[in-house]
Amino acid sequence: YARAVFKYKGGARQQSFFVDLKDVPTQLPIPKSASRIKEGASKYAGVTFHKQMNKWYANIMIEGKPYSIGSYDNEEEAAVDYARAVFKCKGG
């Protein structure tokens, strides 16, 4: 049964993990370099916009695995939480 569901669903799905930001102090957003900013994209590292959901998402890669930080109504909130996740993971 599991193999049939696996085949029906289209194979392996990328697993996403969540980052816990409790007890992490507020950090300043991390801006992208000017050459990496494209029209309509976020000006902050680790932040993307999902058009269908009309939300900003913060994501981080840790040891090659994607971690979801959360979804936000504005870009700056997502950027601040991304900076907090970097602070937590890098040992700031």
Coordinates of all heavy atoms in Angstrom, one line a residue:
Y1 N 0.8 -1.2 0.0 CA 0.0 0.0 0.0 C 0.9 1.3 0.0 O 0.6 2.2 -0.7 CB -0.9 0.0 1.2 CG -1.7 1.3 1.4 CD1 -2.8 1.6 0.5 CD2 -1.4 2.2 2.3 CE1 -3.5 2.7 0.7 CE2 -2.1 3.4 2.5 CZ -3.1 3.6 1.6 OH -3.8 4.8 1.8
A2 N 1.9 1.3 0.8 CA 2.7 2.5 0.9 C 3.4 2.8 -0.4 O 3.6 3.9 -0.8 CB 3.8 2.3 2.0
R3 N 3.9 1.7 -1.1 CA 4.5 1.9 -2.4 C 3.5 2.5 -3.4 O 3.9 3.3 -4.2 CB 5.1 0.6 -2.9 CG 6.5 0.3 -2.2 CD 7.1 -0.8 -2.9 NE 7.1 -1.9 -1.8 CZ 7.4 -3.1 -2.0 NH1 7.7 -3.6 -3.1 NH2 7.3 -4.0 -1.0
A4 N 2.3 2.0 -3.4 CA 1.3 2.5 -4.3 C 1.0 4.0 -4.0 O 0.9 4.8 -5.0 CB 0.0 1.7 -4.1
V5 N 0.9 4.4 -2.8 CA 0.7 5.8 -2.5 C 1.9 6.6 -2.9 O 1.8 7.7 -3.5 CB 0.4 6.0 -1.0 CG1 0.4 7.4 -0.6 CG2 -0.9 5.3 -0.6
F6 N 3.1 6.1 -2.6 CA 4.3 6.8 -3.0 C 4.3 7.0 -4.5 O 4.6 8.1 -5.0 CB 5.5 5.9 -2.6 CG 6.8 6.5 -2.8 CD1 7.3 7.5 -1.9 CD2 7.6 6.2 -3.9 CE1 8.6 8.1 -2.1 CE2 8.8 6.7 -4.1 CZ 9.3 7.7 -3.3
K7 N 4.0 6.0 -5.3 CA 4.0 6.1 -6.8 C 2.9 7.1 -7.2 O 3.1 7.9 -8.1 CB 3.8 4.7 -7.4 CG 3.8 4.8 -8.9 CD 3.7 3.4 -9.4 CE 3.8 3.4 -10.9 NZ 3.7 2.1 -11.5
Y8 N 1.7 7.0 -6.6 CA 0.6 7.8 -7.0 C 0.8 9.3 -6.7 O 0.5 10.2 -7.4 CB -0.7 7.4 -6.2 CG -1.9 8.3 -6.5 CD1 -2.6 8.2 -7.7 CD2 -2.3 9.2 -5.5 CE1 -3.7 9.0 -7.9 CE2 -3.4 10.1 -5.8 CZ -4.0 10.0 -7.0 OH -5.1 10.8 -7.2
K9 N 1.5 9.6 -5.6 CA 1.8 11.0 -5.2 C 2.9 11.6 -6.0 O 3.3 12.7 -5.8 CB 2.1 11.0 -3.7 CG 1.0 10.6 -2.8 CD 0.2 11.8 -2.4 CE -0.9 11.4 -1.4 NZ -1.7 12.5 -1.0
G10 N 3.6 10.8 -6.8 CA 4.6 11.3 -7.6 C 6.0 11.2 -7.0 O 6.9 12.0 -7.4
G11 N 6.3 10.2 -6.2 CA 7.6 10.0 -5.7 C 7.9 10.7 -4.4 O 7.0 11.2 -3.7
A12 N 9.2 10.8 -4.1 CA 9.6 11.4 -2.8 C 9.3 12.9 -2.8 O 9.5 13.6 -3.8 CB 11.1 11.2 -2.5
R13 N 8.9 13.4 -1.7 CA 8.6 14.8 -1.5 C 9.7 15.4 -0.6 O 10.1 14.8 0.3 CB 7.2 15.0 -0.8 CG 6.7 16.3 -0.9 CD 5.2 16.3 -0.4 NE 4.7 17.6 -0.8 CZ 3.5 18.0 -0.4 NH1 2.8 17.3 0.4 NH2 3.1 19.2 -0.7
Q14 N 10.1 16.6 -1.0 CA 11.1 17.3 -0.2 C 10.6 17.6 1.2 O 9.6 18.2 1.4 CB 11.5 18.6 -0.9 CG 12.7 19.2 -0.2 CD 13.1 20.5 -1.0 OE1 12.5 20.9 -1.9 NE2 14.3 21.0 -0.6
Q15 N 11.3 17.1 2.2 CA 10.9 17.3 3.6 C 11.4 18.7 4.1 O 12.5 19.1 3.8 CB 11.5 16.3 4.5 CG 11.0 16.3 5.9 CD 11.5 15.1 6.7 OE1 12.3 14.4 6.2 NE2 11.0 15.0 7.9
S16 N 10.5 19.4 4.7 CA 10.8 20.7 5.2 C 10.8 20.7 6.8 O 9.9 20.0 7.4 CB 9.8 21.7 4.7 OG 10.1 23.0 5.2
F17 N 11.7 21.3 7.4 CA 11.8 21.4 8.8 C 11.5 22.8 9.3 O 11.7 23.7 8.5 CB 13.2 21.0 9.3 CG 13.6 19.6 8.8 CD1 14.4 19.4 7.7 CD2 13.3 18.5 9.6 CE1 14.7 18.2 7.2 CE2 13.6 17.2 9.1 CZ 14.4 17.1 8.0
F18 N 11.2 23.0 10.5 CA 10.9 24.3 11.0 C 12.0 24.8 12.0 O 12.5 23.9 12.8 CB 9.5 24.4 11.7 CG 8.4 24.2 10.7 CD1 7.9 23.0 10.3 CD2 7.9 25.4 10.0 CE1 6.9 22.9 9.4 CE2 6.9 25.3 9.1 CZ 6.4 24.0 8.8
V19 N 12.2 26.0 12.1 CA 13.2 26.6 13.0 C 12.5 27.3 14.1 O 11.6 28.1 13.9 CB 14.1 27.7 12.2 CG1 15.1 28.3 13.2 CG2 14.8 27.0 11.1
D20 N 12.9 26.9 15.4 CA 12.3 27.5 16.6 C 13.1 28.7 16.9 O 14.3 28.6 17.2 CB 12.3 26.4 17.7 CG 11.7 26.9 19.0 OD1 10.9 27.9 18.9 OD2 12.0 26.4 20.0
L21 N 12.4 29.9 17.0 CA 13.1 31.1 17.3 C 12.8 31.7 18.7 O 13.0 32.8 18.9 CB 12.7 32.2 16.2 CG 13.2 31.8 14.8 CD1 12.7 32.9 13.8 CD2 14.7 31.7 14.8
K22 N 12.3 30.8 19.6 CA 12.0 31.2 20.9 C 13.4 31.6 21.5 O 14.4 31.0 21.3 CB 11.4 30.1 21.8 CG 10.0 29.8 21.4 CD 9.6 28.6 22.3 CE 8.3 28.0 21.7 NZ 8.0 26.7 22.3
D23 N 13.4 32.7 22.4 CA 14.5 33.1 23.1 C 15.7 33.6 22.2 O 16.8 33.6 22.6 CB 15.1 32.0 24.0 CG 14.0 31.6 25.0 OD1 13.2 32.4 25.4 OD2 14.0 30.4 25.3
V24 N 15.4 34.0 21.0 CA 16.4 34.6 20.1 C 16.1 36.1 19.9 O 15.0 36.4 19.6 CB 16.3 33.9 18.7 CG1 17.4 34.5 17.7 CG2 16.5 32.4 18.7
P25 N 17.1 36.9 20.3 CA 16.9 38.3 20.2 C 16.6 38.9 18.8 O 17.0 38.2 17.8 CB 18.1 38.9 20.8 CG 19.2 37.9 20.5 CD 18.5 36.6 20.6
T26 N 15.9 40.0 18.7 CA 15.7 40.6 17.4 C 17.0 41.0 16.7 O 17.9 41.5 17.4 CB 14.8 41.9 17.6 OG1 13.6 41.5 18.3 CG2 14.4 42.5 16.3
Q27 N 17.0 40.8 15.4 CA 18.2 41.1 14.7 C 17.8 42.0 13.5 O 16.7 42.1 13.1 CB 18.9 39.8 14.1 CG 19.2 38.8 15.1 CD 20.4 39.3 16.0 OE1 21.4 39.8 15.5 NE2 20.2 39.1 17.3
L28 N 18.8 42.8 13.0 CA 18.5 43.6 11.8 C 18.4 42.7 10.6 O 19.2 41.7 10.5 CB 19.7 44.6 11.6 CG 19.7 45.7 12.7 CD1 21.0 46.5 12.4 CD2 18.5 46.6 12.7
P29 N 17.6 43.0 9.6 CA 17.4 42.2 8.4 C 18.8 42.2 7.6 O 19.6 43.2 7.7 CB 16.4 43.0 7.6 CG 15.6 43.8 8.6 CD 16.6 44.1 9.6
I30 N 19.0 41.2 6.9 CA 20.2 41.0 6.1 C 19.9 41.4 4.6 O 19.2 40.6 3.9 CB 20.7 39.6 6.1 CG1 21.0 39.2 7.6 CG2 22.0 39.4 5.3 CD1 21.3 37.7 7.8
P31 N 20.3 42.5 4.1 CA 20.0 42.9 2.7 C 20.8 42.1 1.7 O 21.9 41.6 2.0 CB 20.4 44.4 2.6 CG 21.4 44.5 3.7 CD 21.1 43.5 4.8
K32 N 20.2 41.8 0.5 CA 20.9 41.2 -0.6 C 21.8 42.3 -1.2 O 21.5 43.5 -1.1 CB 19.9 40.7 -1.6 CG 19.1 39.5 -1.3 CD 18.2 39.1 -2.5 CE 17.4 38.0 -2.2 NZ 16.4 37.7 -3.3
S33 N 22.8 41.8 -1.9 CA 23.6 42.8 -2.6 C 22.8 43.3 -3.8 O 21.9 42.6 -4.3 CB 24.9 42.1 -3.1 OG 24.6 41.1 -4.0
A34 N 23.1 44.5 -4.2 CA 22.3 45.2 -5.3 C 22.2 44.4 -6.6 O 21.2 44.4 -7.2 CB 22.9 46.6 -5.5
S35 N 23.3 43.6 -6.9 CA 23.3 42.9 -8.1 C 22.4 41.7 -8.1 O 22.0 41.1 -9.1 CB 24.7 42.5 -8.5 OG 25.2 41.6 -7.5
R36 N 22.0 41.2 -6.9 CA 21.2 40.0 -6.8 C 19.7 40.3 -6.6 O 18.9 39.4 -6.6 CB 21.6 39.2 -5.5 CG 23.0 38.6 -5.7 CD 23.4 37.7 -4.5 NE 22.4 36.7 -4.3 CZ 22.1 36.2 -3.2 NH1 22.7 36.6 -2.1 NH2 21.2 35.2 -3.0
I37 N 19.3 41.6 -6.6 CA 17.9 42.0 -6.4 C 17.3 42.1 -7.8 O 17.7 42.9 -8.7 CB 17.8 43.3 -5.7 CG1 18.4 43.2 -4.3 CG2 16.3 43.7 -5.6 CD1 18.4 44.5 -3.5
K38 N 16.3 41.3 -8.0 CA 15.5 41.3 -9.3 C 14.2 42.0 -9.1 O 13.7 42.1 -8.0 CB 15.3 39.9 -9.8 CG 16.6 39.2 -10.2 CD 16.3 37.9 -10.8 CE 17.5 37.2 -11.4 NZ 18.6 36.9 -10.5
E39 N 13.6 42.6 -10.2 CA 12.4 43.3 -10.0 C 11.3 42.3 -9.5 O 11.1 41.2 -9.9 CB 11.9 43.8 -11.4 CG 10.7 44.6 -11.4 CD 10.3 45.2 -12.7 OE1 11.2 45.2 -13.6 OE2 9.2 45.6 -12.9
G40 N 10.6 42.8 -8.5 CA 9.5 42.0 -7.9 C 9.9 41.0 -6.8 O 9.1 40.4 -6.2
A41 N 11.3 40.9 -6.6 CA 11.8 40.0 -5.6 C 12.1 40.7 -4.3 O 12.1 41.9 -4.3 CB 13.0 39.3 -6.2
S42 N 12.3 39.9 -3.3 CA 12.7 40.5 -2.0 C 14.0 41.2 -2.1 O 14.9 40.7 -2.7 CB 12.7 39.5 -0.9 OG 13.1 40.0 0.3
K43 N 14.2 42.2 -1.3 CA 15.5 42.9 -1.2 C 16.3 42.3 0.0 O 17.4 42.8 0.3 CB 15.3 44.4 -1.1 CG 14.4 44.8 -0.1 CD 14.1 46.3 -0.2 CE 13.0 46.7 0.8 NZ 12.0 47.6 0.4
Y44 N 15.8 41.3 0.6 CA 16.4 40.7 1.8 C 16.8 39.2 1.5 O 16.0 38.5 0.8 CB 15.5 40.7 3.0 CG 15.2 42.1 3.4 CD1 13.9 42.6 3.2 CD2 16.1 43.0 4.0 CE1 13.6 43.9 3.6 CE2 15.8 44.3 4.3 CZ 14.5 44.7 4.1 OH 14.2 46.0 4.5
A45 N 17.9 38.7 2.1 CA 18.3 37.4 1.9 C 17.3 36.4 2.7 O 16.8 36.8 3.7 CB 19.7 37.2 2.5
G46 N 17.1 35.3 2.1 CA 16.2 34.3 2.7 C 14.7 34.5 2.7 O 14.0 33.8 3.3
V47 N 14.3 35.5 1.9 CA 12.9 35.9 1.9 C 12.4 35.8 0.4 O 13.0 36.3 -0.5 CB 12.7 37.3 2.4 CG1 11.2 37.7 2.3 CG2 13.2 37.4 3.8
T48 N 11.2 35.1 0.2 CA 10.6 35.0 -1.1 C 9.1 35.3 -1.0 O 8.6 35.2 0.1 CB 10.8 33.6 -1.6 OG1 10.2 32.6 -0.7 CG2 12.2 33.2 -1.9
F49 N 8.6 35.7 -2.1 CA 7.1 36.0 -2.1 C 6.4 34.9 -2.9 O 6.8 34.5 -3.9 CB 6.9 37.4 -2.8 CG 5.5 37.8 -2.7 CD1 4.9 38.3 -1.5 CD2 4.7 37.8 -3.9 CE1 3.6 38.7 -1.5 CE2 3.3 38.2 -3.8 CZ 2.8 38.7 -2.6
H50 N 5.3 34.5 -2.3 CA 4.4 33.5 -2.9 C 3.2 34.2 -3.4 O 2.3 34.6 -2.7 CB 4.1 32.4 -1.9 CG 3.5 31.2 -2.5 ND1 2.2 31.1 -2.9 CD2 4.0 29.9 -2.7 CE1 1.9 29.9 -3.4 NE2 3.0 29.2 -3.2
K51 N 3.1 34.3 -4.8 CA 2.0 35.1 -5.4 C 0.6 34.5 -5.1 O -0.3 35.2 -4.8 CB 2.2 35.1 -6.9 CG 3.3 36.0 -7.3 CD 3.4 36.1 -8.8 CE 4.6 36.9 -9.3 NZ 4.7 37.0 -10.7
Q52 N 0.5 33.2 -5.2 CA -0.8 32.5 -5.0 C -1.3 32.7 -3.5 O -2.5 32.9 -3.3 CB -0.8 31.1 -5.3 CG -0.5 30.8 -6.8 CD -0.3 29.3 -7.1 OE1 0.2 28.6 -6.2 NE2 -0.7 28.9 -8.3
M53 N -0.4 32.7 -2.6 CA -0.8 32.8 -1.2 C -0.8 34.3 -0.7 O -1.3 34.6 0.3 CB 0.1 32.0 -0.3 CG 0.1 30.5 -0.6 SD -1.6 29.8 -0.4 CE -1.7 29.7 1.4
N54 N -0.2 35.1 -1.5 CA 0.0 36.5 -1.2 C 0.7 36.7 0.1 O 0.3 37.5 0.9 CB -1.3 37.3 -1.3 CG -1.2 38.8 -1.4 OD1 -0.2 39.2 -2.0 ND2 -2.1 39.5 -0.9
K55 N 1.8 36.0 0.3 CA 2.5 36.0 1.6 C 4.0 36.0 1.3 O 4.5 35.5 0.3 CB 2.2 34.7 2.4 CG 0.8 34.6 2.9 CD 0.7 35.1 4.3 CE -0.7 34.8 4.8 NZ -0.9 35.5 6.1
W56 N 4.8 36.5 2.3 CA 6.2 36.4 2.2 C 6.7 35.2 3.1 O 6.1 35.0 4.1 CB 6.8 37.7 2.8 CG 6.6 38.9 1.9 CD1 5.6 39.8 2.0 CD2 7.4 39.3 0.8 NE1 5.7 40.8 1.0 CE2 6.8 40.5 0.3 CE3 8.5 38.8 0.2 CZ2 7.3 41.1 -0.8 CZ3 9.0 39.4 -0.9 CH2 8.4 40.6 -1.4
Y57 N 7.6 34.5 2.6 CA 8.1 33.3 3.3 C 9.6 33.5 3.6 O 10.4 33.9 2.7 CB 7.9 32.0 2.4 CG 6.5 31.6 2.4 CD1 5.6 32.1 1.4 CD2 6.0 30.7 3.3 CE1 4.3 31.7 1.4 CE2 4.7 30.3 3.2 CZ 3.8 30.8 2.3 OH 2.5 30.4 2.3
A58 N 10.0 33.0 4.8 CA 11.4 33.0 5.2 C 11.8 31.6 5.3 O 11.2 30.8 5.9 CB 11.6 33.7 6.5
N59 N 12.9 31.3 4.6 CA 13.5 29.9 4.6 C 15.0 30.0 4.7 O 15.6 31.0 4.3 CB 13.2 29.2 3.3 CG 11.7 29.1 3.0 OD1 11.0 28.4 3.7 ND2 11.2 29.9 2.0
I60 N 15.6 28.9 5.3 CA 17.0 28.9 5.5 C 17.5 27.5 5.2 O 16.8 26.5 5.4 CB 17.4 29.3 6.9 CG1 18.9 29.5 7.1 CG2 16.8 28.4 7.9 CD1 19.3 30.1 8.4
M61 N 18.7 27.4 4.6 CA 19.4 26.1 4.4 C 20.4 25.9 5.5 O 21.3 26.7 5.7 CB 20.1 26.1 3.0 CG 19.1 26.1 1.9 SD 18.2 24.6 1.6 CE 19.4 23.6 0.8
I62 N 20.3 24.7 6.2 CA 21.2 24.4 7.2 C 21.8 23.0 6.9 O 21.0 22.0 6.8 CB 20.6 24.4 8.6 CG1 20.0 25.8 8.9 CG2 21.6 24.0 9.7 CD1 19.1 25.8 10.1
E63 N 23.1 22.9 6.7 CA 23.7 21.6 6.3 C 23.0 20.9 5.1 O 22.8 19.7 5.1 CB 23.8 20.7 7.5 CG 24.6 21.3 8.6 CD 24.7 20.4 9.9 OE1 24.1 19.3 9.8 OE2 25.3 20.8 10.9
G64 N 22.6 21.7 4.2 CA 22.0 21.2 2.9 C 20.6 20.9 3.0 O 20.0 20.4 2.1
K65 N 19.9 21.1 4.2 CA 18.5 20.8 4.3 C 17.7 22.1 4.4 O 18.1 23.1 5.1 CB 18.3 20.0 5.6 CG 18.9 18.6 5.6 CD 18.6 17.9 6.8 CE 19.3 16.6 6.8 NZ 19.1 15.9 8.1
P66 N 16.6 22.2 3.8 CA 15.7 23.4 3.8 C 14.9 23.4 5.1 O 14.3 22.4 5.6 CB 14.8 23.2 2.6 CG 14.7 21.8 2.4 CD 16.0 21.2 2.8
Y67 N 14.9 24.6 5.8 CA 14.1 24.8 7.0 C 13.2 26.0 6.7 O 13.6 27.0 6.2 CB 15.1 25.1 8.2 CG 15.8 23.9 8.7 CD1 17.0 23.5 8.1 CD2 15.4 23.2 9.8 CE1 17.6 22.4 8.5 CE2 16.0 22.1 10.3 CZ 17.2 21.7 9.7 OH 17.9 20.6 10.1
S68 N 12.0 25.8 7.1 CA 11.0 26.9 7.0 C 11.0 27.7 8.3 O 10.9 27.1 9.3 CB 9.6 26.3 6.7 OG 8.6 27.3 6.7
I69 N 11.0 29.0 8.1 CA 10.9 29.8 9.3 C 9.5 30.3 9.5 O 9.0 30.4 10.7 CB 11.9 31.0 9.2 CG1 13.3 30.5 9.0 CG2 11.8 32.0 10.3 CD1 14.3 31.5 8.6
G70 N 8.8 30.6 8.5 CA 7.4 31.0 8.6 C 6.9 31.8 7.4 O 7.6 32.1 6.5
S71 N 5.6 32.1 7.4 CA 5.0 33.0 6.4 C 4.6 34.3 7.1 O 4.1 34.3 8.2 CB 3.8 32.3 5.8 OG 2.8 32.0 6.7
Y72 N 4.6 35.4 6.3 CA 4.4 36.7 6.9 C 3.6 37.6 5.9 O 3.7 37.4 4.7 CB 5.8 37.4 7.2 CG 6.6 36.5 8.1 CD1 7.5 35.5 7.5 CD2 6.6 36.7 9.4 CE1 8.3 34.7 8.3 CE2 7.4 35.9 10.3 CZ 8.2 34.9 9.7 OH 9.0 34.1 10.5
D73 N 2.9 38.6 6.5 CA 2.2 39.5 5.7 C 3.1 40.6 5.0 O 2.8 41.1 4.0 CB 1.1 40.2 6.5 CG 0.0 39.2 6.8 OD1 -0.3 38.3 6.0 OD2 -0.6 39.3 7.9
N74 N 4.2 40.9 5.7 CA 5.1 41.9 5.1 C 6.6 41.3 5.0 O 7.0 40.5 5.8 CB 5.0 43.2 5.7 CG 5.6 43.4 7.1 OD1 6.7 42.9 7.3 ND2 5.0 44.1 8.0
E75 N 7.3 41.9 4.1 CA 8.7 41.5 3.8 C 9.6 41.7 5.0 O 10.5 40.9 5.2 CB 9.1 42.3 2.6 CG 10.5 41.9 2.0 CD 10.8 42.8 0.8 OE1 10.2 43.8 0.6 OE2 11.8 42.4 0.2
E76 N 9.5 42.8 5.7 CA 10.4 43.1 6.7 C 10.3 42.2 7.9 O 11.3 41.8 8.5 CB 10.2 44.6 7.2 CG 10.7 45.6 6.2 CD 9.7 45.8 5.0 OE1 8.5 45.5 5.1 OE2 10.2 46.3 4.0
E77 N 9.1 41.7 8.3 CA 8.9 40.8 9.3 C 9.6 39.4 9.0 O 10.3 38.8 9.8 CB 7.5 40.5 9.6 CG 6.7 41.6 10.3 CD 5.2 41.2 10.5 OE1 4.9 40.1 10.3 OE2 4.5 42.2 10.8
A78 N 9.5 39.0 7.7 CA 10.1 37.8 7.3 C 11.6 37.9 7.3 O 12.4 37.0 7.7 CB 9.7 37.4 5.9
A79 N 12.2 39.1 6.9 CA 13.6 39.3 6.9 C 14.2 39.4 8.3 O 15.3 38.8 8.6 CB 13.9 40.7 6.2
V80 N 13.4 39.9 9.3 CA 13.9 40.0 10.7 C 14.0 38.5 11.2 O 15.0 38.2 11.9 CB 13.0 40.9 11.5 CG1 13.2 40.7 13.0 CG2 13.2 42.3 11.2
D81 N 13.0 37.7 11.0 CA 13.0 36.3 11.5 C 14.1 35.5 10.8 O 14.7 34.6 11.4 CB 11.6 35.7 11.4 CG 10.7 36.0 12.5 OD1 11.2 36.7 13.5 OD2 9.6 35.5 12.5
Y82 N 14.3 35.8 9.5 CA 15.4 35.1 8.8 C 16.8 35.5 9.5 O 17.6 34.6 9.8 CB 15.5 35.5 7.3 CG 16.7 34.9 6.7 CD1 16.8 33.6 6.3 CD2 17.9 35.7 6.4 CE1 17.9 33.1 5.6 CE2 19.0 35.2 5.8 CZ 19.0 33.9 5.4 OH 20.1 33.4 4.8
A83 N 16.9 36.7 9.8 CA 18.2 37.2 10.5 C 18.3 36.5 11.9 O 19.4 36.1 12.3 CB 18.2 38.7 10.6
R84 N 17.2 36.4 12.6 CA 17.2 35.7 13.9 C 17.6 34.2 13.7 O 18.3 33.7 14.5 CB 15.8 35.8 14.5 CG 15.5 37.2 15.0 CD 14.1 37.3 15.5 NE 13.9 36.5 16.7 CZ 12.7 36.0 17.1 NH1 11.6 36.3 16.4 NH2 12.7 35.3 18.2
A85 N 17.1 33.6 12.7 CA 17.5 32.2 12.4 C 18.9 32.0 12.1 O 19.6 31.1 12.6 CB 16.6 31.6 11.3
V86 N 19.5 33.0 11.3 CA 20.9 32.9 11.0 C 21.7 33.1 12.3 O 22.7 32.4 12.5 CB 21.3 34.0 10.0 CG1 22.8 34.2 9.8 CG2 20.7 33.7 8.6
F87 N 21.3 34.1 13.1 CA 21.9 34.3 14.4 C 21.9 33.0 15.3 O 23.0 32.7 15.9 CB 21.2 35.4 15.2 CG 21.8 35.8 16.5 CD1 22.9 36.6 16.6 CD2 21.2 35.2 17.7 CE1 23.4 36.9 17.9 CE2 21.7 35.5 18.9 CZ 22.8 36.4 19.0
K88 N 20.8 32.3 15.3 CA 20.7 31.1 16.1 C 21.6 30.0 15.5 O 22.3 29.3 16.3 CB 19.2 30.6 16.2 CG 19.1 29.4 16.9 CD 17.6 29.0 17.0 CE 17.5 27.7 17.8 NZ 16.1 27.4 18.0
C89 N 21.6 29.8 14.2 CA 22.3 28.7 13.6 C 23.8 29.0 13.5 O 24.6 28.0 13.6 CB 21.8 28.5 12.2 SG 20.0 27.9 12.3
K90 N 24.2 30.2 13.4 CA 25.6 30.5 13.3 C 26.3 30.8 14.7 O 27.5 31.0 14.8 CB 25.9 31.8 12.4 CG 25.3 31.7 11.0 CD 26.1 30.8 10.1 CE 25.4 30.8 8.8 NZ 26.0 29.9 7.9
G91 N 25.4 30.8 15.7 CA 25.9 31.0 17.0 C 26.3 32.5 17.4 O 27.0 32.7 18.3
G92 N 25.8 33.4 16.6 CA 26.0 34.8 16.7 C 26.4 35.3 18.0 O 27.0 36.2 18.4

